[in-house]
Structure formats: structure tokens, C-alpha cells
Amino acid sequence: MSTASSISGKRKKPPACDYCKLHRVLCHPQLNGPCPRCAEKGVNCQTTPVIRRKRRTKAELVQFATKKEVDTSSPSTSSLPTNIGPLHHPPSSIPFQFHGELSTMVTIQPVPDFLDEPSPVSPTIQMPTEVIKELMQMLRNAPYDMHPIITNPMIPLSRLRKSLQLHLWDLHSLSPQDRVLAHCLLTFIALHSKNPFIIGLGELSTEESQRFTSSYPLKTPVVPDLRQFGFRRESVVRRLWAEALWLANQVGIATNTSKENAASCWILGHLRYVILGKGASAFSAACVYHMRALAEEGQLPTIESELLKLRGHMIGDVVPALMAGKSIPLTLNDEFLIVPLKPESLEQLISTFTTQTCSTSEVFLSIHTFAHNIALLARETVENLTGAYARSQLLDECFLIKHFASLDLFHSFLNAVLQQISWHLNSSRSSPQKMFYLRACSYGFVVSWGSLVLVLFELLRDRSMYNTARMNNADSSEISSHRLSMHLHHARKLASSTAVEISETMRDIPSIMRLLPPSDLVRWARFLLVEENIVDITRTQCLQALECFRDALKLVGFSYADRSGVVDIIDEHLASYVADNMLTLLGQQNSGWMHDYASTRLDWLETGL
């Protein structure tokens, strides 16, 4: 047989499966059954066929270019089909499929860019009535377990639900502002939905479903990996998000002041943060503008409980901007204009919380002081350290020392509040509703504190690694490398202990919907994976914290597509640590055996002599 015939007679290797492609690992596809890696991981082994286009001739390229110029000069108003089916494909290369009244299916290849907001598109998804009802009902899981986004007093959920019922759940029949708000809400809740319209066919197992009703979703020996559902819902969520952006631009919610528009702007800004990890968007700034205008007109709530919710949501505006290194959208004037209550001083509350047992109401009222100081410290951090302008200037060591002192005082206040919360949780005198919110408060406090610490550490680390030439100049106003290393070590100690605190409170988190977004979890996990960052904590504490962040990423992967690969990195890190420990133990055992053998041999020789 000739060489050509032998090559043509070889069987072509099947393509790699979607899971191995996603993780960029070598795949060994099998003709009958899953590949070894998918079988080991217990995931569904699927292979999406890759359609290769035929190379076009030169004449076809010239014809296409001519047609494109004609279309650009005289645009036509072609109508797209109005029906769209649910999209549930994990890989980014799968096309959108529009099913309309046409006899053929129109296929549009999307741009595979999942690191930025989608481009606005006109609404085409025809969501079934039952799906809309189910998504709106998901906003409340239990009598007191309300979804965090709905605690915003600006969202008129009851009125919006009644309006939908009155219009037979037809979104097109709502007023323009209500339609934008409803579309934004449906987009956000689609991140957590288990409906087949959103995530495709294939139900969750009983163990996986229990995570959404469990009071302690992370307090189990084995946490299921739900990351496949984040990829399966991604196309639908991004399409809904793109449609919400289109409706928002058409209605002009950023410029027309109303409570509904403020709520829509807040949700769109929040979507950008939880999905992309980017804070301080244009819609976030528009929300603050609306809140300021409504406060000046006296249209904001004045009830104490509503003011407390507004103060809590200020943290949700400050932390994303801080983590992204952007300017804080809320000024001090805005803060007191929206919530006209003067918070107590840190020193006064530290004295109260450390000398007496406070009621749960007093603990909840401390949110005013906590949120005010978080915003104050975040503003100082961005303006003097982490902001775009501050990074281009010399590091001000005098401010840095004062900032460390402010952080230490704030941490003392945080510890005092956490001790009060821990006492109430252990006393079992509080109602289940208060216990739920106390645990949620504890987690929110520690996470917000952690954002201050982490961005400070990352700034000093970057300053230390990428030292510019002027750092070595004889300018007396510049901080020396030795002193910079000293401040970096201080920040590293704070970040190490805070990572452990976050992991411990995360184990007690009352609901999976209140977990950190994946971008923040990934940043904390990567911090702990660096050996030199383990300062003032034990190796066991570090490994337990890494396990907690890994398990949290597995759970939030149900809602968001996680492409970081940190879960696998943590698994490999933990496995290598276990292997090293086993080798160390074996070495110690062998050393002990050799020592006993040598002693016995020496005794025998002495006896023989």
C-alpha cells in the first residue's frame, strides 16, 4: 500500500468536547460515551459541531464589498422575526437562533465578547406568561427572605405586579417607564432562575435544588458544582440585558427623573457589577442624580425602616466603585440629603458595644454609622490612593499613615458590632427573621470592610512591583522603597486576616443569593493562592478559606459564567498540599523506623561484644 493511500485510510480524530475546549485541556474523545475527563468530573459530555465556511473567491469578495457599500449608503428597514426561542448553549460560539413565521431559520453569529456590556437591541424575546409570573414570584423566596435587590425602597414591586396582573402579564401594555423597570427586573432574576426557558432542558438534582432553600448553603461537607448552569443561561441573560438597555435608551430613563427610572438605573448599574465586575457605570451616576433630585423635592421615604434600607443600599453603590478604582458616585452632601440622619460617631458606638449588651434594633441602627464611614473611607481611598489621578501622583505617606489609623479604628468598631451579633445569634432569643438579617448584616459588614483592605493592598503591591524611575530620585517628598515595603506588609497582614473573616462569615450566609459576585470571590482567592500573602494566619486557616471561596464559586456559578479557572487552580493547590503532607508523614515514619532499626542494631552489637 502506498503512503498516500495509508494516510487517507486513517480515521480522523473526533473533535474535542465543549467542556475540554472551555478549560483548554487535551481531550480524548470516545466514539461511544463521554471522554475520560467528563466522566471523571461527572459532567455532560457534549460536542458542538464547528461549521467551517468555504473560502470565498476573489470575485465573491469584490461582490460582497460592493454590496456592503450600497447598503451603508442607503440603509433599508428590514424587519426581523418577532419570536425568539430560549438560548441555552454554554460556548460563546453558538449562534442566536430566531424562530419566526418564516419557513427558514435566521442565524446570527454574535460577537464573542463577554467582558463588556452587550450592545442594545430591540426586544424580540417573547417570554411566556408563566415564565414572567415565575420570575416575579422568585423575588420573594420566603416570608422574610426577600431578594436583596428588592429591599431597595425605590422599586415599587407591589404596584408593578398589580399592573402586570391587570394587563394579563403583557409587558408591551405597561407604561414605558414600568416596562423598562419590569424588563430590568426580569433580566436580573433570570440570573437565578431554574426555569427551562432560561437554562434549557435538564433539571437540577435534589441535592442541587436544596442549596436554594438551605439556611446554610455552604455548611456541608460536599458542595455541588453548579457552574454549567451559568454558561447555559448566559446567552438568554445577555439578550435580555441588551433589550433592557435598548428600552432604557428609548425611554430616556437617565434624564427623566422618577422613582421608576431611578430604580431601573440602579438595577442596570448593579447588573454591570455582578456580571462583569465593573462598578460606577453611567447608569449608577444617573441613579444618584435621580435620588438627589427626588430628595430635593421631598419625594423620598422618611420612615425609619426605609431610611435604613436606603443607607444599606448606599454601600451597594460605594463598594463596586471602590473595587473598580472609580470615583465614588455619592458625595457627602448627597448622603445626608438622601438620608437626613446624623450617624453616631465610631468612638461612641465602640464604647457602647464593648461595655453593654445592645438590642437587635440598636445593632441594625448601627448600619447608619457603618455605611457613613464606609463611604467616607472609600472616598478618601479613591481620591488619594487608588483613583486614576491619584495613581499618577507620588504616594503621600502622611495620608497613608492617617488612613491606616482610620482603618484600625473602623476595624475596632466592626469587631464590636460582630461580637454583639454573635451574642444574639448564640442566645437563640431572636426570631428566625431577625436571625436571618443578623447573619446577612454580619456578612455584609465584613465584605464591605474587606473591600477597603483589598484595594489598599493591591495598590501598595503594584507600587512596590512597578516602581517608577522617580521613586529613586533624591526628592525628599517621595517615600523610600524600605518604608513602602513596611506599609505593604501592614496591608498584607490586614488582608490575610480579613480573608479568613470573610470565609468564616460566608459559611454562615443565610441565602445563596447574598454571596459575593464571582469577580470579588476570584480576587480574594487569588490573594490567598500567593504564598507570601499568608501572614498572621495559619496554613490550616488559609486552606479552609480557599475551600470556602472555591465552594462559593461553585454555587454562584449557577448564576454567572465563571471563566477564571480559579476553582480548578484551588483544587490543584489543595491536592498538592495533601500530597506534600503525605510525603512528609511517610518521610517521618521512615526516619523513625531507620532510627529504631539503628538503635536495635547497635544494642545487638554491644550485647554480642
Side-chain angles (χ1 to χ4, degrees), residues 483-513:
R483 295 190 61 82
L484 181 61
S485 299
M486 180 185 67
H487 293 308
L488 175 60
H489 182 71
H490 187 184
R492 181 177 281 120
K493 288 172 60 177
L494 285 176
S496 297
S497 58
T498 302
V500 174
E501 291 176 1
I502 292 176
S503 66
E504 290 173 350
T505 55
M506 199 185 300
R507 291 290 184 190
D508 294 329
I509 198 168
S511 172
I512 189 175
M513 291 186 177

PDB file of all heavy atoms in Angstrom, residues 483-513:
ATOM      1  N   ARG A 483      10.374  51.887  53.299  1.00  0.00           N
ATOM      2  CA  ARG A 483       9.143  52.251  54.004  1.00  0.00           C
ATOM      3  C   ARG A 483       7.909  51.767  53.233  1.00  0.00           C
ATOM      4  O   ARG A 483       6.894  51.404  53.829  1.00  0.00           O
ATOM      5  CB  ARG A 483       9.090  53.762  54.226  1.00  0.00           C
ATOM      6  CG  ARG A 483      10.179  54.283  55.152  1.00  0.00           C
ATOM      7  CD  ARG A 483       9.941  55.732  55.542  1.00  0.00           C
ATOM      8  NE  ARG A 483       8.690  55.901  56.258  1.00  0.00           N
ATOM      9  CZ  ARG A 483       8.543  55.670  57.574  1.00  0.00           C
ATOM     10  NH1 ARG A 483       9.578  55.234  58.273  1.00  0.00           N
ATOM     11  NH2 ARG A 483       7.381  55.874  58.149  1.00  0.00           N
ATOM     12  N   LEU A 484       8.000  51.751  51.913  1.00  0.00           N
ATOM     13  CA  LEU A 484       6.897  51.220  51.124  1.00  0.00           C
ATOM     14  C   LEU A 484       6.695  49.736  51.424  1.00  0.00           C
ATOM     15  O   LEU A 484       5.561  49.255  51.545  1.00  0.00           O
ATOM     16  CB  LEU A 484       7.176  51.433  49.639  1.00  0.00           C
ATOM     17  CG  LEU A 484       6.093  50.951  48.668  1.00  0.00           C
ATOM     18  CD1 LEU A 484       4.781  51.693  48.918  1.00  0.00           C
ATOM     19  CD2 LEU A 484       6.537  51.152  47.232  1.00  0.00           C
ATOM     20  N   SER A 485       7.792  48.994  51.553  1.00  0.00           N
ATOM     21  CA  SER A 485       7.688  47.574  51.894  1.00  0.00           C
ATOM     22  C   SER A 485       7.083  47.380  53.280  1.00  0.00           C
ATOM     23  O   SER A 485       6.316  46.432  53.511  1.00  0.00           O
ATOM     24  CB  SER A 485       9.072  46.922  51.838  1.00  0.00           C
ATOM     25  OG  SER A 485       9.619  47.020  50.549  1.00  0.00           O
ATOM     26  N   MET A 486       7.378  48.264  54.186  1.00  0.00           N
ATOM     27  CA  MET A 486       6.816  48.192  55.528  1.00  0.00           C
ATOM     28  C   MET A 486       5.297  48.399  55.498  1.00  0.00           C
ATOM     29  O   MET A 486       4.536  47.650  56.127  1.00  0.00           O
ATOM     30  CB  MET A 486       7.469  49.237  56.421  1.00  0.00           C
ATOM     31  CG  MET A 486       6.966  49.252  57.859  1.00  0.00           C
ATOM     32  SD  MET A 486       7.676  50.617  58.814  1.00  0.00           S
ATOM     33  CE  MET A 486       6.917  52.025  57.990  1.00  0.00           C
ATOM     34  N   HIS A 487       4.839  49.394  54.744  1.00  0.00           N
ATOM     35  CA  HIS A 487       3.399  49.641  54.626  1.00  0.00           C
ATOM     36  C   HIS A 487       2.710  48.486  53.884  1.00  0.00           C
ATOM     37  O   HIS A 487       1.577  48.112  54.218  1.00  0.00           O
ATOM     38  CB  HIS A 487       3.151  50.954  53.886  1.00  0.00           C
ATOM     39  CG  HIS A 487       3.603  52.171  54.646  1.00  0.00           C
ATOM     40  ND1 HIS A 487       3.220  52.429  55.943  1.00  0.00           N
ATOM     41  CD2 HIS A 487       4.431  53.192  54.286  1.00  0.00           C
ATOM     42  CE1 HIS A 487       3.762  53.561  56.359  1.00  0.00           C
ATOM     43  NE2 HIS A 487       4.502  54.044  55.357  1.00  0.00           N
ATOM     44  N   LEU A 488       3.393  47.924  52.902  1.00  0.00           N
ATOM     45  CA  LEU A 488       2.830  46.780  52.174  1.00  0.00           C
ATOM     46  C   LEU A 488       2.646  45.581  53.104  1.00  0.00           C
ATOM     47  O   LEU A 488       1.639  44.877  53.038  1.00  0.00           O
ATOM     48  CB  LEU A 488       3.739  46.417  51.002  1.00  0.00           C
ATOM     49  CG  LEU A 488       3.361  45.167  50.204  1.00  0.00           C
ATOM     50  CD1 LEU A 488       1.971  45.317  49.583  1.00  0.00           C
ATOM     51  CD2 LEU A 488       4.393  44.881  49.121  1.00  0.00           C
ATOM     52  N   HIS A 489       3.611  45.360  53.985  1.00  0.00           N
ATOM     53  CA  HIS A 489       3.496  44.255  54.937  1.00  0.00           C
ATOM     54  C   HIS A 489       2.313  44.477  55.875  1.00  0.00           C
ATOM     55  O   HIS A 489       1.582  43.518  56.200  1.00  0.00           O
ATOM     56  CB  HIS A 489       4.792  44.147  55.745  1.00  0.00           C
ATOM     57  CG  HIS A 489       4.785  43.014  56.717  1.00  0.00           C
ATOM     58  ND1 HIS A 489       4.849  41.688  56.332  1.00  0.00           N
ATOM     59  CD2 HIS A 489       4.705  43.004  58.081  1.00  0.00           C
ATOM     60  CE1 HIS A 489       4.811  40.913  57.406  1.00  0.00           C
ATOM     61  NE2 HIS A 489       4.728  41.689  58.478  1.00  0.00           N
ATOM     62  N   HIS A 490       2.111  45.716  56.297  1.00  0.00           N
ATOM     63  CA  HIS A 490       0.956  46.024  57.156  1.00  0.00           C
ATOM     64  C   HIS A 490      -0.354  45.742  56.424  1.00  0.00           C
ATOM     65  O   HIS A 490      -1.275  45.122  56.984  1.00  0.00           O
ATOM     66  CB  HIS A 490       1.022  47.500  57.580  1.00  0.00           C
ATOM     67  CG  HIS A 490      -0.012  47.871  58.598  1.00  0.00           C
ATOM     68  ND1 HIS A 490      -0.172  49.173  59.044  1.00  0.00           N
ATOM     69  CD2 HIS A 490      -0.957  47.142  59.241  1.00  0.00           C
ATOM     70  CE1 HIS A 490      -1.156  49.211  59.918  1.00  0.00           C
ATOM     71  NE2 HIS A 490      -1.647  47.994  60.059  1.00  0.00           N
ATOM     72  N   ALA A 491      -0.444  46.182  55.168  1.00  0.00           N
ATOM     73  CA  ALA A 491      -1.663  45.929  54.384  1.00  0.00           C
ATOM     74  C   ALA A 491      -1.857  44.438  54.138  1.00  0.00           C
ATOM     75  O   ALA A 491      -2.991  43.936  54.140  1.00  0.00           O
ATOM     76  CB  ALA A 491      -1.590  46.683  53.058  1.00  0.00           C
ATOM     77  N   ARG A 492      -0.758  43.711  53.922  1.00  0.00           N
ATOM     78  CA  ARG A 492      -0.857  42.264  53.689  1.00  0.00           C
ATOM     79  C   ARG A 492      -1.393  41.550  54.941  1.00  0.00           C
ATOM     80  O   ARG A 492      -2.198  40.617  54.835  1.00  0.00           O
ATOM     81  CB  ARG A 492       0.497  41.712  53.279  1.00  0.00           C
ATOM     82  CG  ARG A 492       0.494  40.230  52.981  1.00  0.00           C
ATOM     83  CD  ARG A 492       1.843  39.744  52.506  1.00  0.00           C
ATOM     84  NE  ARG A 492       2.063  40.064  51.096  1.00  0.00           N
ATOM     85  CZ  ARG A 492       3.040  40.812  50.633  1.00  0.00           C
ATOM     86  NH1 ARG A 492       3.911  41.347  51.474  1.00  0.00           N
ATOM     87  NH2 ARG A 492       3.186  41.044  49.345  1.00  0.00           N
ATOM     88  N   LYS A 493      -0.965  41.968  56.108  1.00  0.00           N
ATOM     89  CA  LYS A 493      -1.469  41.382  57.347  1.00  0.00           C
ATOM     90  C   LYS A 493      -2.970  41.626  57.496  1.00  0.00           C
ATOM     91  O   LYS A 493      -3.728  40.721  57.863  1.00  0.00           O
ATOM     92  CB  LYS A 493      -0.719  41.963  58.546  1.00  0.00           C
ATOM     93  CG  LYS A 493       0.718  41.483  58.686  1.00  0.00           C
ATOM     94  CD  LYS A 493       1.465  42.241  59.776  1.00  0.00           C
ATOM     95  CE  LYS A 493       0.807  42.070  61.125  1.00  0.00           C
ATOM     96  NZ  LYS A 493       1.586  42.766  62.197  1.00  0.00           N
ATOM     97  N   LEU A 494      -3.407  42.848  57.215  1.00  0.00           N
ATOM     98  CA  LEU A 494      -4.835  43.157  57.294  1.00  0.00           C
ATOM     99  C   LEU A 494      -5.631  42.310  56.303  1.00  0.00           C
ATOM    100  O   LEU A 494      -6.695  41.767  56.637  1.00  0.00           O
ATOM    101  CB  LEU A 494      -5.072  44.641  57.017  1.00  0.00           C
ATOM    102  CG  LEU A 494      -4.714  45.640  58.121  1.00  0.00           C
ATOM    103  CD1 LEU A 494      -4.923  47.062  57.620  1.00  0.00           C
ATOM    104  CD2 LEU A 494      -5.560  45.394  59.358  1.00  0.00           C
ATOM    105  N   ALA A 495      -5.124  42.197  55.073  1.00  0.00           N
ATOM    106  CA  ALA A 495      -5.849  41.447  54.047  1.00  0.00           C
ATOM    107  C   ALA A 495      -5.905  39.955  54.383  1.00  0.00           C
ATOM    108  O   ALA A 495      -6.925  39.294  54.140  1.00  0.00           O
ATOM    109  CB  ALA A 495      -5.196  41.658  52.686  1.00  0.00           C
ATOM    110  N   SER A 496      -4.834  39.400  54.948  1.00  0.00           N
ATOM    111  CA  SER A 496      -4.828  37.977  55.288  1.00  0.00           C
ATOM    112  C   SER A 496      -5.880  37.653  56.339  1.00  0.00           C
ATOM    113  O   SER A 496      -6.665  36.711  56.197  1.00  0.00           O
ATOM    114  CB  SER A 496      -3.441  37.569  55.798  1.00  0.00           C
ATOM    115  OG  SER A 496      -2.462  37.729  54.805  1.00  0.00           O
ATOM    116  N   SER A 497      -5.900  38.442  57.406  1.00  0.00           N
ATOM    117  CA  SER A 497      -6.895  38.192  58.460  1.00  0.00           C
ATOM    118  C   SER A 497      -8.312  38.456  57.959  1.00  0.00           C
ATOM    119  O   SER A 497      -9.257  37.750  58.331  1.00  0.00           O
ATOM    120  CB  SER A 497      -6.593  39.070  59.675  1.00  0.00           C
ATOM    121  OG  SER A 497      -6.599  40.447  59.334  1.00  0.00           O
ATOM    122  N   THR A 498      -8.466  39.448  57.077  1.00  0.00           N
ATOM    123  CA  THR A 498      -9.801  39.742  56.546  1.00  0.00           C
ATOM    124  C   THR A 498     -10.307  38.625  55.643  1.00  0.00           C
ATOM    125  O   THR A 498     -11.498  38.303  55.645  1.00  0.00           O
ATOM    126  CB  THR A 498      -9.772  41.069  55.765  1.00  0.00           C
ATOM    127  OG1 THR A 498      -9.321  42.114  56.621  1.00  0.00           O
ATOM    128  CG2 THR A 498     -11.156  41.418  55.244  1.00  0.00           C
ATOM    129  N   ALA A 499      -9.417  38.018  54.865  1.00  0.00           N
ATOM    130  CA  ALA A 499      -9.827  36.899  54.011  1.00  0.00           C
ATOM    131  C   ALA A 499     -10.380  35.752  54.840  1.00  0.00           C
ATOM    132  O   ALA A 499     -11.383  35.116  54.480  1.00  0.00           O
ATOM    133  CB  ALA A 499      -8.642  36.424  53.169  1.00  0.00           C
ATOM    134  N   VAL A 500      -9.747  35.494  55.989  1.00  0.00           N
ATOM    135  CA  VAL A 500     -10.240  34.447  56.880  1.00  0.00           C
ATOM    136  C   VAL A 500     -11.587  34.851  57.479  1.00  0.00           C
ATOM    137  O   VAL A 500     -12.519  34.032  57.585  1.00  0.00           O
ATOM    138  CB  VAL A 500      -9.213  34.161  57.983  1.00  0.00           C
ATOM    139  CG1 VAL A 500      -9.761  33.171  59.004  1.00  0.00           C
ATOM    140  CG2 VAL A 500      -7.924  33.622  57.374  1.00  0.00           C
ATOM    141  N   GLU A 501     -11.736  36.127  57.855  1.00  0.00           N
ATOM    142  CA  GLU A 501     -13.007  36.599  58.416  1.00  0.00           C
ATOM    143  C   GLU A 501     -14.140  36.471  57.399  1.00  0.00           C
ATOM    144  O   GLU A 501     -15.259  36.055  57.741  1.00  0.00           O
ATOM    145  CB  GLU A 501     -12.862  38.053  58.856  1.00  0.00           C
ATOM    146  CG  GLU A 501     -11.969  38.265  60.063  1.00  0.00           C
ATOM    147  CD  GLU A 501     -11.783  39.744  60.379  1.00  0.00           C
ATOM    148  OE1 GLU A 501     -12.364  40.575  59.660  1.00  0.00           O
ATOM    149  OE2 GLU A 501     -11.057  40.053  61.337  1.00  0.00           O
ATOM    150  N   ILE A 502     -13.861  36.820  56.145  1.00  0.00           N
ATOM    151  CA  ILE A 502     -14.891  36.705  55.109  1.00  0.00           C
ATOM    152  C   ILE A 502     -15.304  35.252  54.916  1.00  0.00           C
ATOM    153  O   ILE A 502     -16.499  34.934  54.810  1.00  0.00           O
ATOM    154  CB  ILE A 502     -14.382  37.311  53.796  1.00  0.00           C
ATOM    155  CG1 ILE A 502     -14.231  38.818  53.918  1.00  0.00           C
ATOM    156  CG2 ILE A 502     -15.333  36.978  52.635  1.00  0.00           C
ATOM    157  CD1 ILE A 502     -13.650  39.491  52.690  1.00  0.00           C
ATOM    158  N   SER A 503     -14.333  34.350  54.887  1.00  0.00           N
ATOM    159  CA  SER A 503     -14.664  32.940  54.688  1.00  0.00           C
ATOM    160  C   SER A 503     -15.478  32.387  55.854  1.00  0.00           C
ATOM    161  O   SER A 503     -16.392  31.578  55.653  1.00  0.00           O
ATOM    162  CB  SER A 503     -13.381  32.124  54.508  1.00  0.00           C
ATOM    163  OG  SER A 503     -12.607  32.122  55.690  1.00  0.00           O
ATOM    164  N   GLU A 504     -15.181  32.818  57.071  1.00  0.00           N
ATOM    165  CA  GLU A 504     -15.920  32.326  58.234  1.00  0.00           C
ATOM    166  C   GLU A 504     -17.362  32.831  58.236  1.00  0.00           C
ATOM    167  O   GLU A 504     -18.290  32.077  58.530  1.00  0.00           O
ATOM    168  CB  GLU A 504     -15.202  32.752  59.522  1.00  0.00           C
ATOM    169  CG  GLU A 504     -13.879  32.027  59.746  1.00  0.00           C
ATOM    170  CD  GLU A 504     -13.112  32.578  60.932  1.00  0.00           C
ATOM    171  OE1 GLU A 504     -13.519  33.644  61.459  1.00  0.00           O
ATOM    172  OE2 GLU A 504     -12.100  31.968  61.328  1.00  0.00           O
ATOM    173  N   THR A 505     -17.567  34.110  57.915  1.00  0.00           N
ATOM    174  CA  THR A 505     -18.942  34.621  57.855  1.00  0.00           C
ATOM    175  C   THR A 505     -19.681  34.081  56.632  1.00  0.00           C
ATOM    176  O   THR A 505     -20.903  33.953  56.652  1.00  0.00           O
ATOM    177  CB  THR A 505     -18.934  36.163  57.810  1.00  0.00           C
ATOM    178  OG1 THR A 505     -18.124  36.609  56.712  1.00  0.00           O
ATOM    179  CG2 THR A 505     -18.390  36.742  59.092  1.00  0.00           C
ATOM    180  N   MET A 506     -18.939  33.747  55.571  1.00  0.00           N
ATOM    181  CA  MET A 506     -19.568  33.196  54.376  1.00  0.00           C
ATOM    182  C   MET A 506     -20.165  31.819  54.651  1.00  0.00           C
ATOM    183  O   MET A 506     -21.188  31.450  54.066  1.00  0.00           O
ATOM    184  CB  MET A 506     -18.552  33.130  53.232  1.00  0.00           C
ATOM    185  CG  MET A 506     -19.179  33.005  51.846  1.00  0.00           C
ATOM    186  SD  MET A 506     -17.939  32.795  50.553  1.00  0.00           S
ATOM    187  CE  MET A 506     -16.992  34.283  50.748  1.00  0.00           C
ATOM    188  N   ARG A 507     -19.533  31.052  55.525  1.00  0.00           N
ATOM    189  CA  ARG A 507     -20.079  29.746  55.884  1.00  0.00           C
ATOM    190  C   ARG A 507     -21.442  29.870  56.558  1.00  0.00           C
ATOM    191  O   ARG A 507     -22.256  28.956  56.505  1.00  0.00           O
ATOM    192  CB  ARG A 507     -19.122  29.019  56.818  1.00  0.00           C
ATOM    193  CG  ARG A 507     -17.821  28.568  56.173  1.00  0.00           C
ATOM    194  CD  ARG A 507     -18.028  27.446  55.198  1.00  0.00           C
ATOM    195  NE  ARG A 507     -16.757  26.963  54.650  1.00  0.00           N
ATOM    196  CZ  ARG A 507     -16.673  26.125  53.634  1.00  0.00           C
ATOM    197  NH1 ARG A 507     -17.771  25.700  53.022  1.00  0.00           N
ATOM    198  NH2 ARG A 507     -15.493  25.730  53.182  1.00  0.00           N
ATOM    199  N   ASP A 508     -21.684  31.023  57.206  1.00  0.00           N
ATOM    200  CA  ASP A 508     -22.957  31.238  57.898  1.00  0.00           C
ATOM    201  C   ASP A 508     -23.943  32.060  57.074  1.00  0.00           C
ATOM    202  O   ASP A 508     -24.969  32.500  57.609  1.00  0.00           O
ATOM    203  CB  ASP A 508     -22.713  31.953  59.236  1.00  0.00           C
ATOM    204  CG  ASP A 508     -21.944  31.089  60.216  1.00  0.00           C
ATOM    205  OD1 ASP A 508     -22.097  29.854  60.150  1.00  0.00           O
ATOM    206  OD2 ASP A 508     -21.193  31.647  61.038  1.00  0.00           O
ATOM    207  N   ILE A 509     -23.643  32.280  55.809  1.00  0.00           N
ATOM    208  CA  ILE A 509     -24.514  33.135  54.996  1.00  0.00           C
ATOM    209  C   ILE A 509     -25.897  32.490  54.883  1.00  0.00           C
ATOM    210  O   ILE A 509     -26.024  31.274  54.720  1.00  0.00           O
ATOM    211  CB  ILE A 509     -23.891  33.372  53.603  1.00  0.00           C
ATOM    212  CG1 ILE A 509     -24.529  34.573  52.919  1.00  0.00           C
ATOM    213  CG2 ILE A 509     -23.990  32.142  52.724  1.00  0.00           C
ATOM    214  CD1 ILE A 509     -23.789  35.040  51.692  1.00  0.00           C
ATOM    215  N   PRO A 510     -26.974  33.271  55.027  1.00  0.00           N
ATOM    216  CA  PRO A 510     -28.311  32.677  55.093  1.00  0.00           C
ATOM    217  C   PRO A 510     -28.933  32.329  53.750  1.00  0.00           C
ATOM    218  O   PRO A 510     -29.935  31.621  53.703  1.00  0.00           O
ATOM    219  CB  PRO A 510     -29.138  33.768  55.793  1.00  0.00           C
ATOM    220  CG  PRO A 510     -28.466  35.042  55.402  1.00  0.00           C
ATOM    221  CD  PRO A 510     -27.003  34.728  55.283  1.00  0.00           C
ATOM    222  N   SER A 511     -28.384  32.813  52.658  1.00  0.00           N
ATOM    223  CA  SER A 511     -29.001  32.564  51.355  1.00  0.00           C
ATOM    224  C   SER A 511     -27.934  32.619  50.277  1.00  0.00           C
ATOM    225  O   SER A 511     -27.001  33.442  50.335  1.00  0.00           O
ATOM    226  CB  SER A 511     -30.091  33.606  51.053  1.00  0.00           C
ATOM    227  OG  SER A 511     -30.561  33.488  49.731  1.00  0.00           O
ATOM    228  N   ILE A 512     -28.068  31.759  49.276  1.00  0.00           N
ATOM    229  CA  ILE A 512     -27.103  31.710  48.178  1.00  0.00           C
ATOM    230  C   ILE A 512     -27.140  32.996  47.358  1.00  0.00           C
ATOM    231  O   ILE A 512     -26.151  33.385  46.741  1.00  0.00           O
ATOM    232  CB  ILE A 512     -27.406  30.479  47.289  1.00  0.00           C
ATOM    233  CG1 ILE A 512     -26.296  30.270  46.262  1.00  0.00           C
ATOM    234  CG2 ILE A 512     -28.734  30.602  46.606  1.00  0.00           C
ATOM    235  CD1 ILE A 512     -26.475  29.018  45.436  1.00  0.00           C
ATOM    236  N   MET A 513     -28.278  33.712  47.365  1.00  0.00           N
ATOM    237  CA  MET A 513     -28.404  34.928  46.577  1.00  0.00           C
ATOM    238  C   MET A 513     -27.624  36.097  47.164  1.00  0.00           C
ATOM    239  O   MET A 513     -27.491  37.139  46.532  1.00  0.00           O
ATOM    240  CB  MET A 513     -29.871  35.314  46.441  1.00  0.00           C
ATOM    241  CG  MET A 513     -30.678  34.369  45.576  1.00  0.00           C
ATOM    242  SD  MET A 513     -32.360  34.960  45.319  1.00  0.00           S
ATOM    243  CE  MET A 513     -32.992  33.700  44.213  1.00  0.00           C
TER     244      MET A 513
END
